[in-house]
Amino acid sequence: DMAGERGDWTDATFWVDKCCIPQNDELTGTCVSMIEAFLNRCDGMVVLLSWHYFERLWCVYEWAAFLACHGPLAIEICVDVFLNTRTMPLYLDAIERFSVENCACTCESDRAVLAAKIKQYYVSTDAFEELVVSTAIALLARSLARRAGRSVEHYAESFLPWVQLAAQLHQPELSAALATAEPVE
């Protein structure tokens, strides 16, 4: 009995924003105004991370809002199936080019809502963008550390690009911290 082995599943709650926030309903605005409270109540966040994630303003806002009240270890990135040698440049490029201005919104009126939230909860758009970029680099590097530990080639191919991107994006402390990691045995 899986539930017995892992605990009482009646205590497990899953909140899937697309499903749990009514879309185009009179409650949508109320729920959107409470997104930070919803995220604060979560114990963890699972992100199915393709390179397109950083092109969607709602996605990156929820990422940052979750990190504003939780540590980065509470985010689990599911990227292994998406990230390989062919797609690595797409991820690197998406993070390097990330900006609020370049992000898309399915409903363009959401842009004003999110701009107001960024202004309310973050020091500036620049600070918001720096939070998203630095945590994306750090969490992707953490996620790829196991792969990088397989060999010197895997380290150079899957981990080192994140160290270099942090340096290139003027994040010397992050780059230095990542460079101290020794996933290759």
Side-chain angles (χ1 to χ4, degrees):
D1 167 356
M2 268 184 131
E5 292 173 14
R6 295 193 179 148
D8 184 1
W9 280 92
T10 59
D11 291 338
T13 303
F14 296 91
W15 174 70
V16 180
D17 65 343
K18 189 70 170 178
C19 300
C20 294
I21 292 183
Q23 306 293 309
N24 302 317
D25 182 286
E26 68 251 9
L27 291 175
T28 303
T30 301
C31 291
V32 166
S33 72
M34 297 171 53
I35 193 89
E36 297 79 13
F38 291 145
L39 291 168
N40 190 34
R41 294 186 55 107
C42 295
D43 294 326
M45 180 180 214
V46 177
V47 178
L48 304 176
L49 190 67
S50 79
W51 55 93
H52 295 294
Y53 188 88
F54 299 100
E55 298 170 353
R56 301 182 61 213
L57 192 51
W58 265 116
C59 290
V60 295
Y61 181 79
E62 289 167 0
W63 170 290
F66 181 83
L67 285 168
C69 54
H70 299 284
L73 296 179
I75 292 185
E76 186 63 41
I77 294 177
C78 300
V79 70
D80 283 348
V81 73
F82 303 115
L83 198 133
N84 56 47
T85 54
R86 289 190 337 254
T87 61
M88 176 70 82
L90 299 172
Y91 280 90
L92 293 165
D93 187 56
I95 294 168
E96 180 181 358
R97 292 182 310 105
F98 172 73
S99 75
V100 169
E101 184 180 322
N102 291 338
C103 284
C105 290
T106 302
C107 181
E108 198 53 39
S109 62
D110 286 353
R111 184 174 302 283
V113 170
L114 291 168
K117 285 181 168 290
I118 290 168
K119 184 177 181 179
Q120 178 181 358
Y121 292 110
Y122 300 89
V123 175
S124 65
T125 300
D126 288 343
F128 175 83
E129 291 172 350
E130 185 173 338
L131 172 66
V132 171
V133 168
S134 62
T135 57
I137 292 170
L139 290 171
L140 277 159
R142 183 189 87 190
S143 180
L144 295 168
R146 181 174 297 142
R147 188 184 303 177
R150 295 179 189 158
S151 68
V152 174
E153 292 80 20
H154 280 100
Y155 175 81
E157 174 181 288
S158 64
F159 192 82
L160 196 53
W162 300 105
V163 176
Q164 294 165 340
L165 183 60
Q168 177 185 332
L169 296 179
H170 310 291
Q171 306 246 347
E173 293 163 354
L174 176 57
S175 180
L178 291 175
T180 65
E182 296 179 10
V184 179
E185 296 179 10

